[in-house]
Amino acid sequence: MMLLVLCSIFLIFLIWLVSTVVNNMLLARELRRRLPNFRSIPALPVLGVILHYRRDRTPPGIFATFSGLHQRFGSDLISQSFLNLPNLQVTSASVVEQVLQAKTIRKSIIYEFMKPWLNEGLITSLGKKWAQRRKVVTPAFHFKILEEFLAIFNERSEAFVIKLQNHLGKGDFDIYEYITLCTLDIISESAMGVKINAQDNPNSSYVKSVKEMSRIIFLRLFSITREYKIFFLTSKAAQRQKVALSELHGFTDSVIRERKSQLKNDHSQKVMQEKLNETDIYGKRKMTLLELLLNISIEGHSLSDADIREEVDTFMFAGHDTTTSCISFCAYHIAQNSLVQDKLVSEMVQVIGKDFGNAVLKYSVLQELKYLDMTIKEVLRIHPSVPIIGRKSADDMVIDGATIHAGVDIAILIYAMHNNPEVFPNPKKFDPERFNEENSSKRHPYSYIPFSAGARNCIGQKYAMLEVKATLVKLLGSYRLLPCDP
């Protein structure tokens, strides 16, 4: 009897497997017919394009192979993942514009990996919920509010600079870890109003959990079985994720409870309401994202603690990892290019003064650092902090002049776009002058999208650029960055 049950289960699984593979291969063939300008990556039945990722392949490494496929096969590609599920990989600016401007579009499966932590915050939510949240959160990123955050940027980046003193004259070291802790301090204080002191306490359970969840999300992104949740749920990573989520959600929940209690005890719910009127939000009173969320309502209803947590967690994740990557690569390329470093220092002396490393930085002053702005943009070209974004067609949509049926995953490979030699000649060369006004005006507006584009572009891009600028000014005001071994 047991043998009969097992054989039946196996037969059902086999039928499902064959039908899935056949249907996916037929869909891939249909996409090839409809999109003659797209090249198709050679694939095997069931395994799809997995063999292109063999360890003996050149270039080595998952990401290098993934991005290198465009150099081998062409710009816009049709790929097939595990069980031959087809997806589109696009890099040409005109096609990217069509995808990002489409009205009926959803996020792709890669955003599902963030949901255990972020639930349905701004990054992962859709439709009406996303539109409402985007509207109510936008005031937290008005330039007057950002100007108030500069006090946090100043203080935390100064602490970061002091931490680096231990490496003076001691050879090469990886600056990434120090920057991670600095950006965690900055985002926690500006988003939640809480000092987690990550730079002084790098081994805290919250800091470790942030890193663990980030690592799990990115590993799932490149997993060959990523489309099938059951494989993840039976892995050790799922258990580690459970532990990390307990810490992350517990911490955010405790902060929300504490802040709500403080507001109730405030002799003035009225005082907080006054903070929310237009005069104060766009005036001198600093307000964290958490305070804003605690005091707004949508359609007459206050946000629940769960609603607030998903937005705060979203900004904790997105607001530290991306800026860490950008600042780290900025430091690397500035160290590698002494002439660029000289120009940056010269500009900072001219705009801020000789003692610019100890200056209290202001919003208006940072906007005058044009060469610094160009340098950061060039870093984000070579190393976009978010190298891939994903979309899925919600309804039939037109791509490259052809109608694509609903449900097709579309990967926009920002990394490949930014390193396209036809758009950016000699792309490996570090050259901030690519982003002077004259050169920038010659390019298609969708050829350079480090913060995405369209309606769902990054709401925090001005915050991020301000944080990166402030940190680099403090860094270059204290040290000469020297190149390490390649």
Side-chain angles (χ1 to χ4, degrees):
M1 183 65 178
M2 180 62 70
L3 181 62
L4 181 62
V5 171
L6 291 174
C7 287
S8 299
I9 292 173
F10 177 75
L11 182 61
I12 292 170
F13 172 76
L14 192 61
I15 293 171
W16 169 83
L17 179 65
V18 172
S19 63
T20 298
V21 170
V22 170
N23 287 336
N24 287 342
M25 292 179 75
L26 289 174
L27 177 56
R29 187 170 71 178
E30 175 67 10
L31 287 173
R32 287 195 294 272
R33 186 183 69 81
R34 288 176 176 268
L35 298 169
N37 294 329
F38 278 62
R39 294 284 303 279
S40 187
I41 301 175
L44 295 174
V46 182
L47 296 178
V49 300
I50 290 171
L51 286 186
H52 291 286
Y53 293 86
R54 292 205 319 258
R55 289 188 178 183
D56 59 345
R57 287 281 188 180
T58 301
I62 292 174
F63 185 77
T65 303
F66 182 78
S67 57
L69 291 174
H70 287 266
Q71 295 175 354
R72 292 172 61 192
F73 298 106
S75 176
D76 296 325
L77 304 176
I78 298 170
S79 180
Q80 295 178 61
S81 59
F82 189 55
L83 302 188
N84 295 99
L85 182 66
N87 59 80
L88 304 181
Q89 297 178 6
V90 298
T91 65
S92 58
S94 58
V95 175
V96 169
E97 181 177 17
Q98 293 169 39
V99 173
L100 292 180
Q101 293 287 7
K103 302 294 184 185
T104 55
I105 203 78
R106 301 198 304 267
K107 292 294 187 83
S108 69
I109 191 170
I110 62 178
Y111 294 86
E112 294 296 318
F113 309 151
M114 304 176 191
K115 281 191 173 181
W117 183 8
L118 313 182
N119 197 13
E120 291 190 353
L122 274 178
I123 291 178
T124 53
S125 59
L126 299 168
K128 183 179 179 181
K129 179 174 182 178
W130 171 82
Q132 290 175 332
R133 294 286 180 84
R134 176 89 180 202
K135 183 178 179 180
V136 299
V137 169
T138 294
F141 293 93
H142 187 274
F143 80 92
K144 285 292 185 182
I145 302 296
L146 295 179
E147 194 166 36
E148 292 295 327
F149 287 150
L150 268 169
I152 299 171
F153 298 169
N154 275 301
E155 182 181 350
R156 295 305 174 182
S157 57
E158 286 171 359
F160 155 69
V161 165
I162 292 172
K163 294 290 182 183
L164 299 181
Q165 287 179 353
N166 294 330
H167 291 278
L168 279 176
K170 295 182 181 178
D172 301 350
F173 71 101
D174 189 352
I175 202 171
Y176 183 88
E177 181 69 19
Y178 291 91
I179 296 172
T180 298
L181 300 174
C182 176
T183 58
L184 273 173
D185 274 344
I186 288 173
I187 192 63
S188 64
E189 196 167 346
S190 52
M192 293 192 288
V194 172
K195 295 182 179 182
I196 62 173
N197 296 316
Q199 294 184 87
D200 293 325
N201 190 16
N203 295 317
S204 75
S205 54
Y206 181 79
V207 171
K208 285 184 175 180
S209 296
V210 168
K211 293 179 181 178
E212 180 66 14
M213 273 306 301
S214 298
R215 185 161 47 247
I216 290 170
I217 289 169
F218 291 126
L219 287 175
R220 292 186 72 186
L221 172 63
F222 288 104
S223 168
I224 63 172
T225 59
R226 71 182 193 183
E227 314 289 335
Y228 308 96
K229 193 174 181 180
I230 185 64
F231 290 102
F232 173 73
L233 294 177
T234 57
S235 69
K236 291 182 179 179
Q239 296 302 313
R240 298 200 309 272
Q241 175 175 280
K242 184 177 179 180
V243 173
L245 288 175
S246 176
E247 172 64 32
L248 293 170
H249 288 163
F251 179 80
T252 307
D253 286 341
S254 68
V255 171
I256 292 171
R257 286 194 302 270
E258 181 181 341
R259 208 65 198 100
K260 285 179 86 170
S261 176
Q262 289 174 356
L263 293 180
K264 282 182 184 176
N265 294 334
D266 226 343
H267 60 72
S268 53
Q269 187 74 18
K270 185 169 151 195
V271 168
M272 289 306 300
Q273 262 335 102
E274 285 171 2
K275 280 175 66 177
L276 282 170
N277 68 31
E278 189 173 345
T279 302
D280 280 342
I281 278 193
Y282 300 103
K284 296 180 179 180
R285 185 75 164 95
K286 181 175 72 176
M287 176 179 290
T288 65
L289 174 71
L290 176 55
E291 287 179 329
L292 177 70
L293 295 171
L294 284 168
N295 286 277
I296 56 96
S297 61
I298 297 177
E299 295 182 344
H301 300 285
S302 299
L303 296 179
S304 68
D305 286 2
D307 292 331
I308 294 169
R309 186 181 76 188
E310 61 192 15
E311 296 302 345
V312 172
D313 283 344
T314 292
F315 282 93
M316 285 300 297
F317 168 64
H320 94 275
D321 186 80
T322 51
T323 50
T324 296
S325 171
C326 181
I327 296 167
S328 298
F329 279 120
C330 280
Y332 174 80
H333 282 288
I334 291 169
Q336 293 288 330
N337 296 271
S338 60
L339 292 179
V340 170
Q341 186 164 184
D342 290 341
K343 283 186 179 181
L344 288 170
V345 171
S346 177
E347 179 183 62
M348 291 171 189
V349 169
Q350 183 179 354
V351 173
I352 306 172
K354 288 185 178 180
D355 194 23
F356 63 86
N358 294 315
V360 177
L361 302 175
K362 300 292 184 182
Y363 183 92
S364 58
V365 171
L366 289 176
Q367 302 313 303
E368 293 181 44
L369 299 173
K370 302 301 182 184
Y371 192 73
L372 177 59
D373 193 67
M374 289 159 53
T375 300
I376 295 168
K377 286 179 178 178
E378 175 68 345
V379 169
L380 289 172
R381 180 191 67 79
I382 300 176
H383 308 285
S385 296
V386 180
I388 306 167
I389 55 177
R391 298 291 186 265
K392 184 191 289 284
S393 54
D395 297 310
D396 290 356
M397 64 181 292
V398 176
I399 293 179
D400 207 24
T403 300
I404 303 300
H405 296 309
V408 175
D409 270 342
I410 306 167
I412 298 171
L413 303 193
I414 297 176
Y415 179 86
M417 293 171 65
H418 289 187
N419 288 272
N420 181 351
E422 294 181 8
V423 181
F424 298 99
N426 194 7
K428 293 185 178 180
K429 180 183 177 183
F430 186 79
D431 182 12
E433 292 298 335
R434 297 181 199 269
F435 292 94
N436 62 35
E437 289 187 16
E438 181 183 357
N439 289 330
S440 296
S441 65
K442 297 175 183 176
R443 290 189 291 267
H444 190 292
Y446 278 75
S447 63
Y448 178 75
I449 52 170
F451 295 101
S452 186
R456 296 200 65 139
N457 67 346
C458 174
I459 193 174
Q461 58 185 287
K462 291 182 179 178
Y463 172 99
M465 286 295 287
L466 204 63
E467 180 182 349
V468 173
K469 286 179 181 179
T471 306
L472 290 175
V473 169
K474 294 295 182 182
L475 181 60
L476 295 178
S478 300
Y479 305 110
R480 177 80 183 180
L481 302 184
L482 301 177
C484 58
D485 289 334

